[in-house]
Amino acid sequence: MHIRNVVVAIGAVAAVIAGSVMAGPAPTASAAAPVDGRFTPVTSARAWSGKVGTSPTSVTLGGRNGIPSSATAVVLTATVSGPTASGYVSVAPGGSGASPSIQNFGPKQSISGTTTVGLVGGKAQVKVSSGTATVALDVAGWYGSSSGGSTYTPLAPTNVLTGTVGTGATRIVVAGKAGVPSNATAVVLQADVSRPAAAGTLRLTPAGSAAGIASVTYQKGVTVANTVTVRLSGGAVQARVSSGSARALADVVGYYSPSTSGAVFVPSAPVRAATVAAGTTAKNVTVAGTAGVPRNAVAAVINAKVGKGSVGGSLRVVGAGLASSVPTQVYAKGQTIGNALIAPLASGGKVSAKVSAGTATAYVDVVGYFIDGSTGSGTGVDVSYPQCGKTIPTDQSFAIVGVNASLANTTNPCLQQQLAWAAGSKGGTAQPKTQLYSLFTNPGATLASKWPMSNTLDDGKVVPTPKSYGVCRAQASGVPQSKYVTTTACSYVYGFARAYEASTKRGVSNAAQFRWWLDVETGLSHTRTTTYNLAALEGMIAALRDARVTNVGIYSTASHFGEIMGSVPSTSSARGLPSWLAIGPARLDQAQSACSSAGFAGGTVAMTQYVTAFGASQIDRDWSCR
């Protein structure tokens, strides 16, 4: 279900890593990580190099250098050479309107920055914010659907390299140390070069590899950091510089392995999570539950940038409560410079930011996150009769199933199969794992297929109406239906009948065990008189309360609800009910932001619905606002 004729188009849709199943029996719950979103390391290779300007240059990365055309994202290092002006380099998914800052540079400064970027049709796009520059892209691996791929496990930063590195390879054994298992396939290293005697590059590659790919590009006397992903060879990596020697540091902050209990990557549109006035005391920034990151994420991929430093110093952005021997980045007074990191979110979904001296502004941008298989996607999915016989996700943390077909007096033919599917929801949110929704309708006396003529339903059920509405009375004898008169009392009984049927006659066992939502939208029948519609809605609420349902809410948009219901008085039973807000085609971060919107009838927004891509079609995803 999603609102018909929704006219809000909020932005590009982010890919969601999801399993799928034809609507049918519930899949067996499993804590194993999905196949989608696993990482396959490759030996770092130059994927592309060219001159770019301020307009995006499309770059094909899929189908080359060991990266399949089906890859959903790649890990790459962008190296800038010969820029004509100060600015930053941006690498984004192909066709994206986003311009995430991967690394900042000054005129003629050579510098590198690492990021993870989603691919659209195997493509990314590259540009600089001003002037022109030569940009080289070196790939270290890819994410996508691969049973032989690796999952990710974040670690507290642990130093594995401190010392002078020359042009000869220095072997660094990582597997079996610092929490990295012997079967690890790759590691994530946070590295820096301190005050080098000459300009050059630090190359961190698989042990025994002669690849001349830059991991850190540095200038004489300037300390600079970068985060790199390196494939392991014999459990080791190697370090060397392009000329002379330099002092280098490296912390391992995570690893990839064949483990099924690790996490998989979900790319997202670049979103600024926070702008922090950083000082020498760490400030926490909440990442999980905002900026397009679900609350069950175990780590976030962050582009961190520092600027406006009152003095020169170093920026450290780490998982809250953790420490690192290697700074996220080192900067001069007033300089803007960044670095990427994969931050663990074990401590309340937070990261912390601080500088070594003075004050500075830190920018925290999220470009993706990692989840494991224990709690699914962290989002819900709602389905109904349109999904009968179609492939639907299996990664939902909670599910909402429609009990009706296209009309409020009909039954969803796939209700039982979809309830079985919903029972396989992973949980882990504030929402019940299985919820139901029923359509609101009030066509009025002249259009209803069966309009009530009293307070008694066909099966003898007596519906008590509010005193202010009076009682539902029969139409005058001999009057054709085209001349019937709609009243608030009969509207109330009509609504009661629809929800009574939904809770007792549509195949729902024990309606009281579920949270119920009442779907109010202009695409369904309603009268032009808001008081009649509100009476019908109150009748539906009363029927659900009569069925001992304790958790009832309203699904709609502000415009649809206002048009159909008008102003809801404080005396109405609809007043203050939780709201499920539909926002149309959108991203997760936009659904999260919509939680701060006003609810319907004085209620608060408990859940938002956004329409997103699912395979070649679309699906309704839902975000729990608490």
Side-chain angles (χ1 to χ4, degrees):
M1 164 198 67
H2 52 262
I3 290 287
R4 298 154 176 82
N5 303 321
V6 169
V7 295
V8 259
I10 299 184
V13 175
V16 175
I17 299 300
S20 58
V21 69
M22 296 291 285
T28 303
S30 171
V35 171
D36 290 342
R38 297 196 181 203
F39 181 71
T40 300
V42 299
T43 299
S44 294
R46 178 66 39 90
W48 181 85
S49 179
K51 189 174 184 179
V52 300
T54 55
S55 297
T57 296
S58 179
V59 177
T60 299
L61 298 175
R64 303 175 181 180
N65 300 299
I67 311 297
S69 58
S70 60
T72 58
V74 291
V75 178
L76 58 80
T77 298
T79 301
V80 177
S81 302
T84 59
S86 296
Y88 63 84
V89 61
S90 175
V91 186
S96 170
S99 299
S101 172
I102 305 307
Q103 188 56 280
N104 286 68
F105 49 79
K108 300 181 180 180
Q109 180 187 9
S110 295
I111 195 168
S112 54
T114 297
T115 191
T116 300
V117 60
L119 299 181
V120 176
K123 296 180 182 294
Q125 61 189 33
V126 187
K127 69 175 186 176
V128 292
S129 61
S130 60
T132 61
T134 298
V135 178
L137 303 180
D138 302 325
V139 294
W142 57 275
Y143 293 100
S145 181
S146 172
S147 59
S150 297
T151 60
Y152 181 72
T153 301
L155 296 171
T158 302
N159 185 262
V160 292
L161 170 64
T162 301
T164 299
V165 176
T167 55
T170 298
R171 180 181 171 87
I172 307 165
V173 177
V174 183
K177 299 181 177 180
V180 180
S182 59
N183 65 341
T185 56
V187 290
V188 179
L189 300 174
Q190 199 165 313
D192 83 357
V193 177
S194 302
R195 298 184 179 87
T201 58
L202 170 67
R203 296 163 180 167
L204 294 165
T205 59
S209 170
I213 301 302
S215 301
V216 182
T217 301
Y218 51 85
Q219 303 296 310
K220 177 181 178 180
V222 178
T223 300
V224 67
N226 198 23
T227 299
V228 294
T229 299
V230 187
R231 181 177 64 84
L232 293 179
S233 176
V237 301
Q238 68 182 32
R240 61 190 178 96
V241 293
S242 56
S243 62
S245 62
R247 180 173 174 79
L249 296 173
D251 282 0
V252 60
V253 297
Y255 66 88
Y256 295 91
S257 75
S259 171
T260 60
S261 61
V264 296
F265 179 67
V266 181
S268 64
V271 177
R272 176 141 299 166
T275 299
V276 183
T280 55
T281 300
K283 290 185 177 180
N284 286 344
V285 174
T286 298
V287 174
T290 185
V293 181
R295 296 184 186 90
N296 62 335
V298 299
V301 182
I302 290 172
N303 287 339
K305 186 166 65 174
V306 62
K308 302 177 182 178
S310 61
V311 295
S314 60
L315 169 71
R316 280 178 166 81
V317 178
V318 295
L322 300 178
S324 173
S325 66
V326 179
T328 303
Q329 195 51 273
V330 179
Y331 57 92
K333 178 181 178 180
Q335 181 187 16
T336 300
I337 190 170
N339 192 9
L341 66 144
I342 302 178
L345 298 176
S347 183
K350 301 177 188 294
V351 300
S352 68
K354 70 175 183 178
V355 294
S356 59
T359 60
T361 301
Y363 307 92
V364 179
D365 296 337
V366 175
V367 297
Y369 57 89
F370 288 87
I371 55 174
D372 61 27
S374 62
T375 53
S377 64
T379 61
V381 173
D382 61 269
V383 299
S384 190
Y385 76 95
Q387 284 73 45
C388 288
K390 295 182 180 179
T391 301
I392 55 179
T394 58
D395 66 348
Q396 76 281 0
S397 295
F398 58 95
I400 311 99
V401 179
V403 302
N404 306 113
S406 60
L407 300 174
N409 58 356
T410 60
T411 302
N412 174 2
C414 299
L415 179 61
Q416 298 309 316
Q417 295 96 323
Q418 290 176 352
L419 285 174
W421 159 81
S425 299
K426 307 299 190 296
T429 75
Q431 295 294 330
K433 290 201 295 183
T434 301
Q435 304 172 50
L436 302 176
Y437 75 86
S438 182
L439 303 180
F440 165 83
T441 185
N442 182 23
T446 60
L447 296 177
S449 59
K450 185 175 179 60
W451 188 250
M453 297 295 182
S454 72
N455 283 45
T456 303
L457 304 184
D458 288 345
D459 65 356
K461 176 76 173 178
V462 177
V463 181
T465 49
K467 289 183 179 180
S468 61
Y469 292 170
V471 296
C472 179
R473 301 187 186 280
Q475 304 291 323
S477 177
V479 173
Q481 186 171 1
S482 62
K483 301 295 184 180
Y484 278 9
V485 176
T486 303
T487 64
T488 51
C490 290
S491 293
Y492 185 96
V493 174
Y494 182 87
F496 189 103
R498 300 291 77 78
Y500 176 69
E501 293 166 353
S503 60
T504 63
K505 301 181 184 301
R506 301 282 171 231
V508 176
S509 176
N510 186 16
Q513 68 179 304
F514 300 108
R515 163 178 268 187
W516 285 72
W517 297 94
L518 300 176
D519 176 4
V520 178
E521 52 182 289
T522 56
L524 303 169
S525 298
H526 61 280
T527 72
R528 294 182 180 180
T529 305
T530 58
T531 53
Y532 296 158
N533 296 329
L534 181 58
L537 180 64
E538 291 170 346
M540 296 188 77
I541 295 167
L544 293 175
R545 299 295 190 207
D546 186 68
R548 301 186 184 280
V549 175
T550 59
N551 203 335
V552 180
I554 300 170
Y555 166 91
S556 194
T557 70
S559 61
H560 284 226
F561 189 82
E563 177 181 336
I564 297 169
M565 299 298 168
S567 178
V568 178
S570 60
T571 55
S572 173
S573 59
R575 191 75 187 172
L577 291 182
S579 299
W580 176 14
L581 176 65
I583 64 172
R587 305 184 305 257
L588 176 54
D589 63 287
Q590 294 163 328
Q592 292 168 333
S593 295
C595 287
S596 61
S597 302
F600 318 123
T604 58
V605 178
M607 193 160 68
T608 57
Q609 180 204 64
Y610 61 109
V611 182
T612 188
F614 178 67
S617 60
Q618 294 180 322
I619 198 74
D620 295 336
R621 290 269 177 184
D622 303 286
W623 173 252
S624 175
C625 292
R626 56 181 187 272

